Amino acid sequence: MIQVTITYHCRVCGSTNIVRNGTNKCGNQQYHCKDCGAYRVLEPKRVHTEDEKETIMRTYKERASMRGLERIFNIARQAVARWIRDIVRALPNLKDTLLPARADDVLELNELWSFVLKKSRKRWLWTAICRRTRQIVAFVIGDRSEKTCRRLWNKIPDEYKKCLTFSDFWEAYQKVFPKGTHHCVGKESGETAHMERWYNTLRQRLARFVRKTLSFSKSDAFHHMVTKWYIAEYNLAISLTM
Ligand SMILES: [Zn+2]
């Protein structure tokens, strides 16, 4: 017979006078120290180095699911979510990722259906793309109402507000965008082709992010975060090459 005895010490005071104290919401065994009163996880997951973090984030961007990351890297998905939050907080404002507007620039507008948590919780991603640079000049996530459309208009930087704009016949655009510069067109006109094309790319990259498996308590916030992350990096990559 082989027997192994492990003695656990309190990670705060080093005492062995500790008892099991149920599990936390991730299912990890907790202990309570009778000497210093601490409540902690009995076997904490190891700390990841910056290199490991980067590898994990790169894997995430290649559409690995959070649960997939848990299995591959033995990391809590709560930790991944926290890293993503930190990355997104450190990103510049979207307007600071943009190249300067030109007088003859044209914006294409559209909105894309997605959902958070379950299909009944619809969220529309509204976007404005610059036809020349292909950068996303502004985006908002919300319902399909005039109010959300107005938020999009407000997010467009002033220098881009003078541009010609094209959208489909969705009524909200006609109410919000200035009559002098805005045009409603059918899909077949090709005037919103770049925006539609970009949605294909986005769906490829972000398909995982809107799935049910990623049900966070603050899933709307997370949905917004990963979208902003993707768009900001997409814009910055273009700024570097032009
Ligand atoms: Zn202790």
Side-chain angles (χ1 to χ4, degrees):
M1 181 165 74
I2 300 173
Q3 265 189 315
V4 179
T5 308
I6 301 171
T7 307
Y8 289 100
H9 296 265
C10 171
R11 279 183 289 115
V12 178
C13 71
S15 164
T16 54
N17 191 14
I18 61 176
V19 292
R20 286 177 194 275
N21 193 257
T23 55
N24 63 13
K25 64 180 175 186
C26 310
N28 303 116
Q29 180 67 51
Q30 301 271 105
Y31 75 81
H32 169 55
C33 175
K34 294 203 163 177
D35 286 341
C36 74
Y39 292 89
R40 291 285 191 284
V41 175
L42 191 61
E43 292 178 315
K45 293 193 173 163
R46 63 192 183 81
V47 176
H48 291 262
T49 65
E50 286 303 312
D51 277 355
E52 286 171 322
K53 261 192 195 179
E54 208 191 304
T55 308
I56 294 169
M57 286 294 100
R58 269 212 310 273
T59 314
Y60 183 62
K61 283 193 208 168
E62 292 303 322
R63 292 176 61 179
S65 68
M66 292 280 212
R67 278 163 206 272
L69 293 181
E70 276 189 321
R71 289 186 292 266
I72 299 167
F73 297 103
N74 185 31
I75 180 179
R77 58 186 187 282
Q78 288 81 358
V80 178
R82 202 167 54 237
W83 295 348
I84 292 172
R85 202 174 304 137
D86 291 345
I87 290 172
V88 174
R89 276 196 190 137
L91 286 174
N93 286 327
L94 204 65
K95 65 175 170 46
D96 297 324
T97 66
L98 298 173
L99 294 158
R102 284 190 202 156
D104 60 347
D105 270 335
V106 174
L107 302 183
E108 300 178 16
L109 316 167
N110 211 341
E111 71 286 352
L112 176 81
W113 178 86
S114 71
F115 64 88
V116 165
L117 206 60
K118 51 188 175 191
K119 289 212 169 170
S120 58
R121 288 177 61 185
K122 278 185 191 164
R123 301 290 183 274
W124 292 88
L125 169 66
W126 298 65
T127 44
I129 196 171
C130 172
R131 192 180 285 171
R132 172 179 59 91
T133 67
R134 307 279 201 273
Q135 285 185 317
I136 302 300
V137 168
F139 84 96
V140 290
I141 299 173
D143 59 16
R144 220 182 174 190
S145 70
E146 188 186 326
K147 200 175 143 200
T148 311
C149 186
R150 193 163 298 283
R151 278 173 51 219
L152 178 71
W153 169 251
N154 291 337
K155 285 254 179 114
I156 295 177
D158 287 342
E159 57 170 343
Y160 278 97
K161 277 200 167 100
K162 300 164 199 147
C163 300
L164 287 183
T165 50
F166 287 91
S167 75
D168 57 23
F169 291 99
W170 188 247
E171 216 184 346
Y173 291 114
Q174 303 172 41
K175 288 182 176 165
V176 171
F177 282 75
K179 290 200 165 47
T181 49
H182 185 62
H183 303 274
C184 298
V185 290
K187 230 180 183 177
E188 69 292 342
S189 69
E191 297 285 10
T192 57
H194 299 94
M195 192 71 269
E196 281 152 33
R197 174 78 195 280
W198 187 83
Y199 283 159
N200 289 342
T201 316
L202 182 80
R203 280 212 191 271
Q204 293 261 321
R205 303 297 305 221
L206 290 192
R208 290 260 170 177
F209 297 166
V210 290
R211 280 209 194 139
K212 209 173 165 180
T213 44
L214 295 176
S215 43
F216 278 77
S217 51
K218 290 177 182 168
S219 48
D220 270 310
F222 201 76
H223 195 49
H224 190 271
M225 265 195 299
V226 288
T227 309
K228 185 188 171 184
W229 186 17
Y230 177 70
I231 292 177
E233 289 200 341
Y234 166 84
N235 280 353
L236 288 169
I238 292 174
S239 288
L240 285 175
T241 55
M242 285 182 91

